């Protein structure tokens, strides 16, 4: 996993060159190059690898995914959204570059990502590239990430069109699971997998995404700034709908554990140290040894 993250970091640095006008490229690169877990590119590459694909084929698309993820983090931290001063252990993008440049840096990452896929995925067929771009635009937009964020904001204002449980699942299937789904789907498409295999990984990523969000909600209660690199306890203070506020800590842990076990079961046949390692790490942090 460490070696893979090193490759991803080097590629991100290489793909995003700072040119004139330097301020925007510096703002894009600032949050991108801070030490994130790189889970989405890692899961994209590992899906491709276990399905028999050379990882070099999928590296540009995997890095594009991290750019999309970072765009969502930069925008999520803005005062008009979650208003967070810290991200990845450092001041948020708008705190360093100002709000206008943070909005533009997010927009620029969102548009550079598909440009990168088109320009650098030289070992994928045009059909594969088209399919990846279709998935990217669908999952990043109002049918995915943006839908999750909108319902999250609405629910904070007390607007609940569906039940609290349905609303919470909708938010996190769209805000969190969607990028893990996109990651494994792109990896599987690059490997030339059929729809049955793509759907199997998709199911894994949905469950993983929900488990990851429950993990995130629990960590907001039990962790520290040093471990997470962001402000803690904001959700609780603002009365936000979370898995912990809705179900309580113990039931949230039970749900997390159940989903993680389902993830182990789906992925078992691929014998992947990387997938198993990610699941082990999350599980140990929440449930103990
Ligand atoms: C696509 C135009 C467009 C807008 C996006 C702002 C927004 C709309 C969505 C917010 C999505 C968001 C921030 C979801 C939170 C998901 C989550 C749990 C993030 C933390 O992921 P980690 O822990 O972070 O993997 P690192 O820093 O390790 O990469």
């Amino acid at each position: 996993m460490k070696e893979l993250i090193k490759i991803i970091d080097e590629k991100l640095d290489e793909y995003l060159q700072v040119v004139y006008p330097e301020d925007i490229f510096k703002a894009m690169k600032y949050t991108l190059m801070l030490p994130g877990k790189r889970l989405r590119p890692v899961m994209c590459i590992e899906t491709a690898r276990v399905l028999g694909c050379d990882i070099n084929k999928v590296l540009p698309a995997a890095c594009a995914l991290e750019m999309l993820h970072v765009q969502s983090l930069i925008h999520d931290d803005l005062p008009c959204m979650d208003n967070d001063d810290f991200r990845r252990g450092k001041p948020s993008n708008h705190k360093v570059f100002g709000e206008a440049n943070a909005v533009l840096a997010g927009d620029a990452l969102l548009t550079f990502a598909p440009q990168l896929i088109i320009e650098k995925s030289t070992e994928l067929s045009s059909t594969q590239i088209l399919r990846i771009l279709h998935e990217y635009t669908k999952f990043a937009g109002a049918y995915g990430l943006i839908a999750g964020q909108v319902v999250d904001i609405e629910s904070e204002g007390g607007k609940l069109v569906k039940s609290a449980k349905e609303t919470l699942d909708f938010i996190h299937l769209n805000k969190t699971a969607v990028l893990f789904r996109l990651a494994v789907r792109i990896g599987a498409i690059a490997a030339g997998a059929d729809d049955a295999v793509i759907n199997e990984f998709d199911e894994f990523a949905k469950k993983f995404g929900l488990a990851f969000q429950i993990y995130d909600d629990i960590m907001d209660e039990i962790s520290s700034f040093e471990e997470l690199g962001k402000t803690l306890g904001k959700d609780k203070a603002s009365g936000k709908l979370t898995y912990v506020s809705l179900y309580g800590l113990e039931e949230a842990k039970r749900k997390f554990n159940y989903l993680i076990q389902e993830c182990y079961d789906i992925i078992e046949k691929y014998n992947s140290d990387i997938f198993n390692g990610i699941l082990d790490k999350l599980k140990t942090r929440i449930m103990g040894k």
Side-chain angles (χ1 to χ4, degrees):
M1 178 110 170
K2 266 196 189 140
E3 301 84 76
L4 192 49
I5 290 177
K6 190 164 173 281
I7 295 173
I8 292 165
D9 285 346
E10 285 168 1
K11 279 290 168 189
L12 286 171
D13 195 34
E14 177 196 317
Y15 289 144
L16 190 59
Q17 294 291 320
V18 175
V19 293
Y20 179 81
E22 292 182 1
D23 285 354
I24 188 64
F25 289 96
K26 283 184 182 160
M28 291 162 80
K29 229 167 161 162
Y30 170 71
T31 312
L32 185 67
M33 298 314 295
L34 289 176
K37 294 183 282 299
R38 310 291 189 220
L39 279 177
R40 296 145 192 89
V42 163
M43 286 169 72
C44 175
I45 292 167
E46 183 60 1
T47 302
R49 194 194 65 79
V50 300
L51 295 173
C53 172
D54 182 329
I55 73 159
N56 291 308
K57 272 191 173 184
V58 79
L59 263 173
C63 289
L65 261 174
E66 182 68 13
M67 291 177 185
L68 168 61
H69 167 57
V70 167
Q71 173 274 327
S72 76
L73 301 180
I74 294 173
H75 282 185
D76 194 49
D77 291 339
L78 287 168
C80 62
M81 303 250 178
D82 241 17
N83 195 14
D84 238 305
D85 290 352
F86 292 95
R87 176 64 68 178
R88 294 180 164 175
K90 295 280 180 215
S92 311
N93 202 284
H94 64 274
K95 285 277 156 191
V96 180
F97 298 94
E99 271 181 57
N101 271 342
V103 170
L104 291 169
D107 292 345
L109 285 166
L110 184 70
T111 46
F112 181 61
Q115 179 187 341
L116 177 67
I117 296 174
I118 295 166
E119 289 178 0
K120 300 286 182 189
S121 303
T122 48
E123 294 180 55
L124 297 179
S125 71
S126 0
T127 310
Q128 283 171 314
I129 292 176
L130 197 59
R131 191 156 175 205
I132 288 171
L133 291 176
H134 180 219
E135 303 251 337
Y136 177 97
T137 48
K138 199 169 61 177
F139 283 71
Y143 295 96
L145 207 45
I146 291 177
Q149 183 75 345
V150 167
V151 177
D152 193 16
I153 292 169
E154 283 181 358
S155 74
E156 255 185 89
K159 185 176 169 190
L160 288 193
V161 175
K162 300 172 184 224
S163 71
K165 184 190 171 309
E166 282 174 310
T167 306
L168 194 58
D169 283 347
F170 180 90
I171 291 171
H172 296 303
L173 276 172
N174 286 283
K175 267 188 78 167
T176 305
V178 81
L179 290 193
F180 294 115
R181 291 180 63 205
L182 186 58
V184 298
R185 293 179 71 88
I186 290 178
I189 291 167
D194 62 24
D195 284 348
V197 173
I198 295 176
N199 290 337
E200 182 185 37
F201 275 91
D202 194 301
E203 208 43 43
F204 167 83
K206 271 189 208 157
K207 292 181 190 302
F208 178 82
L210 288 180
F212 189 74
Q213 186 59 50
I214 302 177
Y215 167 89
D216 205 61
D217 289 352
I218 295 174
M219 292 296 273
D220 196 58
E221 298 266 330
I222 67 169
S223 186
S224 62
F225 178 83
E226 289 65 35
E227 187 180 7
L228 289 192
K230 61 178 183 180
T231 322
L232 292 182
K234 278 185 72 222
D235 293 351
K236 200 174 189 175
S238 65
K240 194 169 170 164
L241 182 62
T242 70
Y243 283 99
V244 177
S245 72
L246 187 63
Y247 295 106
L249 191 56
E250 284 318 305
E251 179 61 11
K253 282 187 180 179
R254 203 194 58 77
K255 280 186 185 303
F256 163 84
N257 198 29
Y258 187 80
L259 284 163
I260 288 285
Q261 194 50 53
E262 288 192 302
C263 290
Y264 278 119
D265 294 344
I266 298 175
I267 215 69
E268 187 184 11
K269 65 178 174 202
Y270 293 105
N271 223 350
S272 157
D273 288 345
I274 287 196
F275 278 123
N276 286 330
I278 293 171
L279 295 173
D280 290 348
K281 204 165 178 185
L282 297 185
K283 186 172 173 182
T284 307
R285 185 64 186 86
I286 297 298
M287 309 303 292
K289 290 265 177 211

